[in-house]
Amino acid sequence: MSKHKHRDRSWAPAPAPLPADAQVIDNHTHVASVVPFSRAMSHEAVEKGQDPVPVYSVDELLDQAAAVGVSGVIDSGCELPHLMTAVDMAREHDNVHAALAIHPNESVRHGHRAVPGPDGLPVRYQPWHDTSFEDALAEVERLARAYPRQVVAIGETGMDLFRTGEGAKEIQREAFRAHIALAKELGLPMQIHDRDAHREVIETLLADGAPERTVFHSYSGDAEMAEICREQGWYLSFSGTVSYKGNDGIRESLRIVGLDHAMVETDAPYLTPMPYRGRTNAPYLIPYTLQAMADALDLPLEEVARGTRATTREVYGV
Ligand SMILES: [Zn+2]
């Protein structure tokens, strides 16, 4: 089989740098996870007879981002062992801040609560899942209080009903409610993970009262949902999915809420923007997503960059 039939695992080329007066923040990413992810891509490439893929350190990934005008990131630590990783990154880098939570798919594993697992399959428990959900969330709260300069949000929390059974759904809902209460108590913004759970997430937010600054990370809803978000004053953060063919509803949603309620993110290492979908994502690829947003809004790239930057400052204070 010819080489080009294999999936390309190499890094996407760097986009043109954003102007100095239009720098942005990647408001939701997992930079620490990009390192092992790209190592796995490299191994896979070698196995397929391709060239190895360079494995960059966190510092190198941040430098590459800065070189194209992505001047900082908000890194989400959303599994118990990753909480401190995100806080440490933020302590070591002035341009890194942390968002902390127990991810919905993690919330069902803590204390071995979900039987069967969230995807109908046996749960893949890890040693840290021996910790109860309550104790795991207490660690989120402890770190948020101990490092107020570094921890700028609670997230990602929410609900993930992709292949999730009823039992897991209710456990997720309770975990989400506990995060909503915590974000409000701490006066922090909240980043929502909503996968196949639009109705449940909105119901829960309206029933409990959403935090003042509520962000749908990697927004995946349609125009109807965007209207609700606009009425409620909620924020939408757009990942590479805004550039994917067929996602007209996401682009329409951006037009509905407008730039003063829109932000940009990678959710790296996943959701790489077009035309590099399928490669490893990293914060330096943000300008491609901004371009897709600019096309959807029919505005210059610089204006979209400045708009999302201002929204990030308003929401997170960074
Ligand atoms: Zn994420």
Side-chain angles (χ1 to χ4, degrees):
M1 201 188 294
S2 71
K3 213 175 172 181
H4 64 264
K5 288 211 172 178
H6 292 302
R7 176 177 157 208
D8 188 350
R9 290 164 185 78
S10 62
W11 289 100
L18 298 168
D21 63 348
Q23 313 257 296
V24 297
I25 300 279
D26 179 351
N27 94 95
H28 180 101
T29 189
H30 308 272
V31 172
S33 298
V34 173
V35 178
F37 190 91
S38 66
R39 189 174 295 125
M41 285 298 105
S42 189
H43 288 155
E44 237 181 80
V46 170
E47 274 170 26
K48 306 281 181 199
Q50 299 168 330
D51 294 333
V53 177
V55 179
Y56 299 114
S57 66
V58 164
D59 284 10
E60 287 169 317
L61 291 165
L62 293 172
D63 287 348
Q64 287 166 346
V68 297
V70 180
S71 58
V73 307
I74 297 176
D75 198 79
S76 171
C78 51
E79 296 186 12
L80 187 57
H82 295 168
L83 301 176
M84 198 65 214
T85 309
V87 170
D88 280 340
M89 270 177 59
R91 292 173 74 201
E92 286 157 19
H93 303 273
D94 287 343
N95 60 345
V96 175
H97 291 85
L100 304 182
I102 304 300
H103 191 282
N105 287 338
E106 283 288 292
S107 68
V108 301
R109 296 186 168 110
H110 279 283
H112 305 259
R113 297 191 293 178
V115 183
D119 26 30
L121 302 168
V123 175
R124 287 173 299 114
Y125 290 117
Q126 303 287 350
W128 66 85
H129 294 134
D130 292 345
T131 305
S132 71
F133 170 75
E134 289 71 19
D135 286 351
L137 190 65
E139 180 66 358
V140 171
E141 176 172 0
R142 185 186 74 78
L143 291 172
R145 290 189 189 280
Y147 300 100
R149 275 196 327 116
Q150 283 79 22
V151 180
V152 297
I154 295 300
E156 58 194 280
T157 176
M159 296 179 73
D160 189 323
L161 301 182
F162 179 66
R163 293 188 294 178
T164 296
E166 275 303 308
K169 176 175 162 179
E170 289 318 308
I171 295 173
Q172 282 189 14
R173 193 195 297 273
E174 289 311 306
F176 181 32
R177 297 184 67 205
H179 282 89
I180 294 172
L182 179 61
K184 289 198 284 194
E185 192 185 323
L186 296 173
L188 286 175
M190 183 173 73
Q191 297 186 336
I192 295 177
H193 171 98
D194 157 26
R195 185 170 187 191
D196 299 346
H198 304 326
R199 191 171 57 81
E200 288 80 0
V201 164
I202 289 172
E203 258 173 27
T204 308
L205 285 172
L206 294 178
D208 284 20
E212 206 176 305
R213 293 161 291 164
T214 291
V215 182
F216 281 81
H217 118 73
S218 188
Y219 178 78
S220 60
D222 58 9
E224 196 186 332
M225 178 168 162
E227 294 286 359
I228 297 170
C229 294
R230 182 171 67 171
E231 274 166 34
Q232 298 296 328
W234 296 335
Y235 296 86
L236 309 188
S237 176
F238 295 89
S239 69
T241 61
V242 73
S243 70
Y244 296 173
K245 194 171 176 267
N247 281 347
D248 292 329
I250 296 179
R251 290 182 280 274
E252 180 61 22
S253 296
L254 168 60
R255 289 189 284 270
I256 288 168
V257 299
L259 275 181
D260 62 349
H261 277 72
M263 288 179 278
V264 66
E265 65 168 79
T266 53
D267 202 23
Y270 304 107
L271 308 179
T272 312
M274 291 300 285
Y276 300 105
R277 189 176 183 177
R279 310 275 193 102
T280 301
N281 205 359
Y284 79 97
L285 295 172
I286 281 271
Y288 294 118
T289 303
L290 283 171
Q291 185 59 57
M293 293 170 73
D295 292 344
L297 292 165
D298 198 19
L299 287 173
L301 177 67
E302 295 77 16
E303 196 175 327
V304 176
R306 288 188 203 104
T308 62
R309 180 68 188 88
T311 306
T312 300
R313 191 172 286 118
E314 183 179 306
V315 171
Y316 300 105
V318 299

